[in-house]
Structures are given as structure tokens and as C-alpha cells.
Amino acid sequence: MKKALITGITGQDGSYLAELLLAKGYEVHGVIRRASTFNTDRIDHLYQDPHVNGVKLFLHYGDLADSVQMVKLLYDLQPDEIYNLGAQSHVRVSFDVPEYTGDVVGVGAVRILEAIREANLVKKTKFYQASSSEMFGKVQEVPQTEDTPFWPRSPYGCAKMYAHWLTVNYRESYDLFACSGILFNHESPRRGETFVTRKITRAATRIKEGLQEKLYLGNLDAKRDWGFAKEYVEMMWLMLQQDQPDDYVIATNETHTIKEFVEETFGLLDLDWEKYVEYDKRYERPAEVDLLIGDPAKAKKQLGWEPKVKFKELVKIMTEADLQLAQNEAKIKKALA
């Protein structure tokens, strides 16, 4: 039985990856931060007594800012695979907390890489780094590939770029099996509600059910390459199953504006979006990323992968899931009235 460690297991990608690995027979360990409230909603359906039903999922308190705990954890677990998905992952928020973002996203990756060396796991453990299309920022070519120069436009993008190059450096310096997945925007019903796609589908469905009146957004003209997170985590796993480590762009090779996402969502609900959506400059970034579109040709050629869920189906999946939530919320509100 292979053993995997996931940082950020309670997030969107972490929860889907945990499901995938468990289905493949892995023993899965996740790192979670200690908090006064539980934040394991996305994995509660997986986290059950392994002695009762055989599900091998275990959670450990830890933090990417704590190198000592990371070393101890790797010594104890001796994992075959490590997936570093933990981050302060909100781009707009990274402008407000740039130091924290750099520490967790950038230096956090170094702490894991050094912990692998300290625990003498260089020859045993395979490492996956969650890189980001935000590293391309002010894009230097269209579409973006593994060879496109980086020009990050946010503290988050800068931190991801640092972690990305350190992963390459440890691969070249210590012969560590280390891969980076340069994932473009990937969404799902498990996306956090402060991210623009989920903010849109959540608000639109609540407006449909009479629970909300307006949706406030920033730049509607930004273009993004949106894929389905549940599909993208399969690529993380595939990268670590190859004979040689490498870096891959994971994308759909399609780009759509935020306005298109709004139009598609409200259209599915038979609503005129222009009646409900208003501009708020507070949601503008100090430096905007105007266009992202990735070319996944290398992943298709070397890993045999290409995305199945495209833009319209993705919006439909998210809208239908949030409509169910909104309808349940409306029923509860009516019952309490």
C-alpha cells in the first residue's frame, strides 16, 4: 500500500485528490492547521474510522510555517508521495497579506523540500508542487506553455514562482523526483465562496431563490482558462507515476471572460444578469492579469491526458450544485418564518 501526504487536504484540490488516492488504495495522510472551528467539511465524508470500513485517511496538525513539525511528520510517516497543495491561495488577498503569502506559499515549499532531505527521503519520496498560471501574469506569449517566461503580477504569483523554481532546483541539485503542475484556473462546487467563479454561482442561485438582491464584482473583462478541479487532480497523480520527473501545464486551451461566466450562470437560471450585477472597485487588483490560456499539449503527449469538462459544462455543474444549496436555504428560511 502506497502512502501519500497532502498539505492543503481540506481545500478544493486536496479533497478531490484524497478521494482519488483512496480509490486507488493509498493510505492518505493530510496536514491541517489547528483552528477553533472545524474546517474539514470537504473531507468529512471520507474521514471515518479505518478499523470499521477500511478507509485509510488520517489527519495531522501542522503548518507550512512550522519546519520542525514537518520534519517530524516525514520521519514518522515515511511517505511515498507528497503533494504540496497548501497555500494562502487567494490572489486578491495576497496584496493585503504579502508577507504571510510569501512565507506559506513560497518558503513553505522550501520547508517541505528540506524536510525530505532531513528525513533521508530523497531516494524514496516523490514530490508534487502545485504551481500556478498566475506565474505567467503579464503574459509573454499566447497560449502559455512550459517554456513561456514568467511575469507574475501579485504577491501570490511571485511566491508560487519562487516555490516552482526551488522545486526545479532541488530536482537538479539532489536528484529528487520533484514535479510541478502549472495548473490554470480550476473550479468546482467545492471552490471557496470568495473566489470569483463560486461567488458568481452562489450569488446567482441565491438571487434566483430570493435570498440575495445584488452581486458586486470587479473587472469583468479579465480572461481565464477554466477547467474542472476533479479532473485536474488526476494529473497531479499521473505526474508522480512517470519514470522521470518533469513540469506540465494543465489547462483547457480555451479562454473566457468573467463577464461570460456571469452571462452563462445567470442564463442557466433564466435571469437577466445586468439587473443584478454591479461594479465595485474594491474587487480590482492593484496589478491585473488580463489574459490566461494554457496549452496542455505536453501533458496530452507524455501523459495521455486532456480535459473532458469544458467551460459551459463546468458552469452548469457549479450552478446546479449551488442552486440545490440555495433551495435548501430558502426552505429553512421559510420554515423559520
Side-chain angles (χ1 to χ4, degrees):
M1 180 182 292
K2 282 188 176 180
K3 189 183 298 184
L5 175 66
I6 304 172
T7 68
I9 194 171
T10 59
Q12 170 189 252
D13 293 5
S15 64
Y16 281 125
L17 179 60
E19 284 181 347
L20 177 73
L21 296 179
L22 288 169
K24 292 181 179 298
Y26 278 64
E27 178 178 308
V28 178
H29 296 259
V31 178
I32 61 171
R33 286 176 294 169
R34 176 71 178 93
S36 57
T37 57
F38 288 111
N39 65 340
T40 58
D41 293 357
R42 295 183 180 94
I43 58 172
D44 281 345
H45 65 293
L46 299 174
Y47 188 53
Q48 302 170 13
D49 187 346
H51 300 293
V52 174
N53 55 24
V55 174
K56 300 294 185 181
L57 176 61
F58 305 91
L59 302 181
H60 308 267
Y61 286 123
D63 197 303
L64 287 174
D66 186 349
S67 59
V68 174
Q69 171 63 13
M70 189 58 63
V71 172
K72 289 180 178 178
L73 194 57
L74 295 197
Y75 264 124
D76 291 341
L77 296 181
Q78 299 282 301
D80 299 288
E81 298 172 2
I82 298 174
Y83 298 85
N84 181 30
L85 312 184
Q88 188 301 100
S89 58
H90 199 290
V91 178
R92 178 62 189 85
V93 171
S94 76
F95 286 98
D96 300 322
V97 287
E99 181 180 346
Y100 174 74
T101 301
D103 185 35
V104 173
V105 176
V107 183
V110 180
R111 293 185 180 110
I112 298 177
L113 290 165
E114 273 298 287
I116 291 172
R117 294 210 309 132
E118 181 66 28
N120 296 316
L121 294 174
V122 171
K123 299 302 180 183
K124 171 182 171 61
T125 299
K126 296 182 177 182
F127 175 75
Y128 172 85
Q129 168 59 26
S131 291
S132 169
S133 60
E134 287 289 329
M135 300 187 304
F136 294 119
K138 189 175 181 180
V139 299
Q140 301 302 291
E141 64 178 2
V142 177
Q144 294 85 60
T145 72
E146 292 82 2
D147 298 320
T148 301
F150 299 137
W151 192 324
R153 300 267 283 171
S154 66
Y156 172 80
C158 291
K160 279 292 187 183
M161 182 174 165
Y162 176 69
H164 176 86
W165 280 118
L166 257 295
T167 301
V168 173
N169 183 257
Y170 273 66
R171 181 169 70 215
E172 295 176 349
S173 300
Y174 305 112
D175 198 26
L176 172 67
F177 194 110
C179 300
S180 287
I182 308 174
L183 271 59
F184 281 63
N185 292 67
H186 45 291
E187 318 297 321
S188 75
R190 297 183 190 178
R191 190 56 142 156
E193 293 182 18
T194 61
F195 291 83
V196 67
T197 51
R198 185 76 196 289
K199 182 178 179 180
I200 292 167
T201 58
R202 189 80 175 102
T205 52
R206 295 187 82 250
I207 289 170
K208 179 70 174 180
E209 293 300 314
L211 299 167
Q212 186 171 329
E213 295 182 357
K214 295 288 184 180
L215 167 61
Y216 297 93
L217 296 171
N219 180 17
L220 293 180
D221 297 322
K223 296 179 179 179
R224 294 293 184 269
D225 184 326
W226 279 301
F228 186 30
K230 188 174 182 178
E231 286 187 335
Y232 281 30
V233 300
E234 183 180 359
M235 284 303 302
M236 301 175 185
W237 175 78
L238 275 173
M239 288 180 208
L240 298 194
Q241 311 314 308
Q242 305 307 303
D243 293 332
Q244 297 296 326
D246 208 342
D247 306 321
Y248 299 87
V249 161
I250 307 302
T252 69
N253 203 24
E254 291 183 9
T255 190
H256 298 271
T257 63
I258 292 174
K259 181 180 177 182
E260 287 179 80
F261 201 104
V262 170
E263 290 173 337
E264 186 68 23
T265 302
F266 279 79
L268 288 169
L269 299 167
D270 295 320
L271 295 174
D272 180 358
W273 72 272
E274 293 183 292
K275 292 181 179 179
Y276 304 102
V277 178
E278 294 187 7
Y279 171 77
D280 190 332
K281 67 178 182 180
R282 291 178 299 175
Y283 297 116
E284 293 273 6
R285 299 179 185 178
E288 183 57 84
V289 173
D290 296 317
L291 166 66
L292 291 174
I293 177 171
D295 181 359
K298 180 179 175 181
K300 181 178 180 180
K301 181 180 179 181
Q302 296 189 17
L303 305 177
W305 179 90
E306 57 184 329
K308 299 180 181 67
V309 175
K310 297 296 184 72
F311 178 72
K312 287 182 178 293
E313 186 179 353
L314 173 64
V315 177
K316 184 179 180 182
I317 289 170
M318 295 180 66
T319 302
E320 289 179 347
D322 275 332
L323 181 59
Q324 185 64 55
L325 289 178
Q327 289 172 342
N328 292 341
E329 186 179 352
K331 289 179 182 178
I332 293 172
K333 184 177 180 181
K334 183 178 180 181
L336 295 175

